[in-house]
Short mmCIF file of all heavy atoms in Angstrom, two decimals:
data_model
loop_
_atom_site.label_atom_id
_atom_site.label_comp_id
_atom_site.label_asym_id
_atom_site.label_seq_id
_atom_site.Cartn_x
_atom_site.Cartn_y
_atom_site.Cartn_z
N LEU T 113 284.90 -31.62 208.35
CA LEU T 113 284.85 -30.16 208.38
C LEU T 113 283.43 -29.66 208.65
O LEU T 113 283.21 -28.77 209.49
CB LEU T 113 285.34 -29.59 207.05
CG LEU T 113 286.83 -29.42 206.86
CD1 LEU T 113 287.13 -29.01 205.42
CD2 LEU T 113 287.39 -28.39 207.83
N LEU T 114 282.46 -30.22 207.92
CA LEU T 114 281.08 -29.78 208.10
C LEU T 114 280.56 -30.10 209.50
O LEU T 114 279.82 -29.32 210.09
CB LEU T 114 280.20 -30.42 207.04
CG LEU T 114 280.45 -29.94 205.60
CD1 LEU T 114 279.62 -30.73 204.61
CD2 LEU T 114 280.17 -28.44 205.47
N ALA T 115 280.98 -31.25 210.04
CA ALA T 115 280.57 -31.60 211.40
C ALA T 115 281.17 -30.63 212.41
O ALA T 115 280.51 -30.21 213.37
CB ALA T 115 280.99 -33.04 211.72
N LEU T 116 282.45 -30.27 212.21
CA LEU T 116 283.10 -29.31 213.09
C LEU T 116 282.38 -27.96 213.05
O LEU T 116 282.12 -27.34 214.09
CB LEU T 116 284.56 -29.15 212.67
CG LEU T 116 285.34 -27.99 213.31
CD1 LEU T 116 285.47 -28.19 214.81
CD2 LEU T 116 286.72 -27.86 212.65
N LEU T 117 282.05 -27.51 211.84
CA LEU T 117 281.40 -26.21 211.70
C LEU T 117 279.96 -26.22 212.18
O LEU T 117 279.43 -25.18 212.58
CB LEU T 117 281.47 -25.76 210.24
CG LEU T 117 282.89 -25.41 209.78
CD1 LEU T 117 282.96 -25.32 208.26
CD2 LEU T 117 283.35 -24.11 210.41
N GLU T 118 279.33 -27.38 212.18
CA GLU T 118 278.00 -27.51 212.77
C GLU T 118 278.07 -27.34 214.28
O GLU T 118 277.22 -26.68 214.89
CB GLU T 118 277.41 -28.88 212.42
CG GLU T 118 276.00 -29.13 212.96
CD GLU T 118 274.94 -28.30 212.26
OE1 GLU T 118 275.17 -27.86 211.11
OE2 GLU T 118 273.88 -28.09 212.87
N ARG T 119 279.14 -27.90 214.87
CA ARG T 119 279.32 -27.77 216.32
C ARG T 119 279.79 -26.37 216.71
O ARG T 119 279.41 -25.85 217.77
CB ARG T 119 280.34 -28.80 216.82
CG ARG T 119 279.95 -30.24 216.66
CD ARG T 119 280.88 -31.15 217.45
NE ARG T 119 282.29 -30.94 217.10
CZ ARG T 119 282.93 -31.60 216.14
NH1 ARG T 119 282.27 -32.51 215.42
NH2 ARG T 119 284.21 -31.38 215.91
N GLU T 120 280.66 -25.80 215.88
CA GLU T 120 281.29 -24.52 216.20
C GLU T 120 281.12 -23.54 215.02
O GLU T 120 282.06 -23.26 214.29
CB GLU T 120 282.78 -24.73 216.49
CG GLU T 120 283.09 -25.70 217.60
CD GLU T 120 282.79 -25.12 218.97
OE1 GLU T 120 282.46 -23.92 219.06
OE2 GLU T 120 282.87 -25.87 219.96
N PRO T 121 279.92 -23.01 214.82
CA PRO T 121 279.68 -22.15 213.64
C PRO T 121 280.53 -20.88 213.63
O PRO T 121 280.70 -20.27 212.57
CB PRO T 121 278.18 -21.84 213.74
CG PRO T 121 277.80 -22.11 215.15
CD PRO T 121 278.69 -23.21 215.62
N ARG T 122 281.08 -20.49 214.78
CA ARG T 122 281.91 -19.28 214.78
C ARG T 122 283.16 -19.44 213.93
O ARG T 122 283.76 -18.44 213.51
CB ARG T 122 282.31 -18.92 216.21
CG ARG T 122 283.28 -19.88 216.87
CD ARG T 122 283.53 -19.46 218.32
NE ARG T 122 284.57 -20.25 218.98
CZ ARG T 122 284.36 -21.41 219.55
NH1 ARG T 122 283.13 -21.95 219.52
NH2 ARG T 122 285.34 -22.08 220.14
N TYR T 123 283.54 -20.68 213.65
CA TYR T 123 284.75 -20.91 212.85
C TYR T 123 284.55 -20.66 211.36
O TYR T 123 285.52 -20.64 210.60
CB TYR T 123 285.26 -22.33 213.06
CG TYR T 123 285.84 -22.59 214.44
CD1 TYR T 123 285.79 -23.86 215.01
CD2 TYR T 123 286.43 -21.56 215.17
CE1 TYR T 123 286.32 -24.10 216.26
CE2 TYR T 123 286.95 -21.79 216.44
CZ TYR T 123 286.90 -23.08 216.98
OH TYR T 123 287.43 -23.30 218.22
N TRP T 124 283.30 -20.48 210.93
CA TRP T 124 283.07 -20.20 209.51
C TRP T 124 283.86 -18.96 209.07
O TRP T 124 284.36 -18.90 207.95
CB TRP T 124 281.58 -19.98 209.24
CG TRP T 124 280.81 -21.23 208.93
CD1 TRP T 124 279.85 -21.81 209.72
CD2 TRP T 124 280.92 -22.06 207.78
NE1 TRP T 124 279.37 -22.95 209.12
CE2 TRP T 124 280.00 -23.12 207.92
CE3 TRP T 124 281.70 -22.01 206.63
CZ2 TRP T 124 279.84 -24.12 206.97
CZ3 TRP T 124 281.54 -23.01 205.66
CH2 TRP T 124 280.63 -24.04 205.84
N ARG T 125 283.96 -17.98 209.95
CA ARG T 125 284.66 -16.75 209.59
C ARG T 125 286.13 -17.02 209.25
O ARG T 125 286.68 -16.40 208.34
CB ARG T 125 284.58 -15.72 210.72
CG ARG T 125 285.27 -14.40 210.38
CD ARG T 125 285.15 -13.38 211.50
NE ARG T 125 285.76 -12.11 211.10
CZ ARG T 125 287.06 -11.85 211.22
NH1 ARG T 125 287.88 -12.77 211.73
NH2 ARG T 125 287.55 -10.68 210.84
N ASP T 126 286.75 -17.95 209.95
CA ASP T 126 288.15 -18.26 209.68
C ASP T 126 288.34 -18.83 208.28
O ASP T 126 289.30 -18.51 207.59
CB ASP T 126 288.68 -19.24 210.74
CG ASP T 126 288.69 -18.62 212.12
OD1 ASP T 126 289.52 -17.73 212.37
OD2 ASP T 126 287.85 -19.03 212.95
N PHE T 127 287.41 -19.68 207.85
CA PHE T 127 287.49 -20.23 206.50
C PHE T 127 287.11 -19.18 205.45
O PHE T 127 287.64 -19.19 204.35
CB PHE T 127 286.61 -21.47 206.39
CG PHE T 127 287.09 -22.60 207.24
CD1 PHE T 127 286.50 -22.86 208.46
CD2 PHE T 127 288.15 -23.40 206.85
CE1 PHE T 127 286.95 -23.88 209.28
CE2 PHE T 127 288.61 -24.43 207.64
CZ PHE T 127 288.01 -24.67 208.86
N ALA T 128 286.21 -18.28 205.83
CA ALA T 128 285.87 -17.17 204.92
C ALA T 128 287.09 -16.29 204.68
O ALA T 128 287.29 -15.79 203.56
CB ALA T 128 284.71 -16.35 205.48
N LEU T 129 287.92 -16.09 205.69
CA LEU T 129 289.13 -15.29 205.52
C LEU T 129 290.09 -15.96 204.54
O LEU T 129 290.76 -15.29 203.75
CB LEU T 129 289.81 -15.08 206.87
CG LEU T 129 289.08 -14.14 207.84
CD1 LEU T 129 289.78 -14.13 209.20
CD2 LEU T 129 289.01 -12.73 207.27
N LEU T 130 290.17 -17.28 204.59
CA LEU T 130 291.02 -18.00 203.65
C LEU T 130 290.55 -17.77 202.22
O LEU T 130 291.36 -17.50 201.32
CB LEU T 130 291.01 -19.49 203.99
CG LEU T 130 291.82 -20.41 203.07
CD1 LEU T 130 293.30 -20.09 203.13
CD2 LEU T 130 291.56 -21.88 203.44
N MET T 131 289.24 -17.86 202.00
CA MET T 131 288.71 -17.68 200.66
C MET T 131 288.78 -16.22 200.21
O MET T 131 289.08 -15.94 199.04
CB MET T 131 287.27 -18.19 200.58
CG MET T 131 286.71 -18.19 199.16
SD MET T 131 285.20 -19.16 198.97
CE MET T 131 284.08 -18.23 199.99
N SER T 132 288.53 -15.29 201.12
CA SER T 132 288.53 -13.88 200.73
C SER T 132 289.93 -13.41 200.36
O SER T 132 290.09 -12.55 199.48
CB SER T 132 287.96 -13.01 201.85
OG SER T 132 288.77 -13.07 203.00
N GLN T 133 290.96 -13.96 200.98
CA GLN T 133 292.32 -13.61 200.62
C GLN T 133 292.60 -13.98 199.16
O GLN T 133 293.18 -13.20 198.40
CB GLN T 133 293.31 -14.33 201.53
CG GLN T 133 294.77 -14.08 201.16
CD GLN T 133 295.71 -15.06 201.84
OE1 GLN T 133 295.33 -16.16 202.21
NE2 GLN T 133 296.96 -14.64 202.02
N LYS T 134 292.15 -15.16 198.76
CA LYS T 134 292.37 -15.59 197.38
C LYS T 134 291.50 -14.80 196.40
O LYS T 134 291.93 -14.51 195.28
CB LYS T 134 292.09 -17.09 197.26
CG LYS T 134 293.03 -17.92 198.11
CD LYS T 134 292.69 -19.39 198.03
CE LYS T 134 293.55 -20.17 198.99
NZ LYS T 134 293.22 -21.62 198.97
N LEU T 135 290.28 -14.45 196.82
CA LEU T 135 289.41 -13.64 195.97
C LEU T 135 290.03 -12.27 195.74
O LEU T 135 290.00 -11.73 194.62
CB LEU T 135 288.04 -13.51 196.62
CG LEU T 135 286.97 -12.76 195.82
CD1 LEU T 135 286.71 -13.44 194.48
CD2 LEU T 135 285.68 -12.65 196.63
N ARG T 136 290.63 -11.70 196.76
CA ARG T 136 291.29 -10.41 196.63
C ARG T 136 292.43 -10.49 195.61
O ARG T 136 292.58 -9.63 194.73
CB ARG T 136 291.82 -9.97 197.99
CG ARG T 136 292.51 -8.61 197.99
CD ARG T 136 293.05 -8.30 199.38
NE ARG T 136 291.98 -8.19 200.35
CZ ARG T 136 291.33 -7.06 200.61
NH1 ARG T 136 291.65 -5.95 199.96
NH2 ARG T 136 290.38 -7.02 201.51
N LEU T 137 293.24 -11.55 195.70
CA LEU T 137 294.35 -11.73 194.76
C LEU T 137 293.83 -11.94 193.33
O LEU T 137 294.45 -11.48 192.37
CB LEU T 137 295.22 -12.91 195.19
CG LEU T 137 296.02 -12.73 196.48
CD1 LEU T 137 296.74 -14.02 196.85
CD2 LEU T 137 297.00 -11.58 196.36
N ALA T 138 292.70 -12.65 193.20
CA ALA T 138 292.14 -12.89 191.87
C ALA T 138 291.67 -11.58 191.23
O ALA T 138 291.90 -11.35 190.04
CB ALA T 138 290.97 -13.87 191.96
N PHE T 139 291.06 -10.70 192.01
CA PHE T 139 290.63 -9.40 191.49
C PHE T 139 291.83 -8.56 191.07
O PHE T 139 291.81 -7.88 190.04
CB PHE T 139 289.80 -8.65 192.53
CG PHE T 139 288.37 -9.10 192.62
CD1 PHE T 139 287.73 -9.20 193.85
CD2 PHE T 139 287.65 -9.42 191.48
CE1 PHE T 139 286.42 -9.62 193.93
CE2 PHE T 139 286.32 -9.83 191.55
CZ PHE T 139 285.71 -9.94 192.78
N ILE T 140 292.88 -8.59 191.88
CA ILE T 140 294.10 -7.85 191.54
C ILE T 140 294.69 -8.37 190.23
O ILE T 140 295.11 -7.60 189.37
CB ILE T 140 295.11 -7.94 192.69
CG1 ILE T 140 294.60 -7.16 193.91
CG2 ILE T 140 296.48 -7.40 192.26
CD1 ILE T 140 295.44 -7.36 195.15
#
Side-chain angles (χ1 to χ4, degrees):
L113 276 173
L114 292 175
L116 169 64
L117 291 165
E118 181 71 22
R119 296 192 306 270
E120 303 286 353
R122 69 183 186 276
Y123 290 151
W124 272 111
R125 181 179 183 276
D126 296 289
F127 294 100
L129 289 174
L130 178 64
M131 187 165 65
S132 64
Q133 177 194 25
K134 297 178 186 178
L135 184 60
R136 181 182 296 272
L137 292 175
F139 280 140
I140 291 172

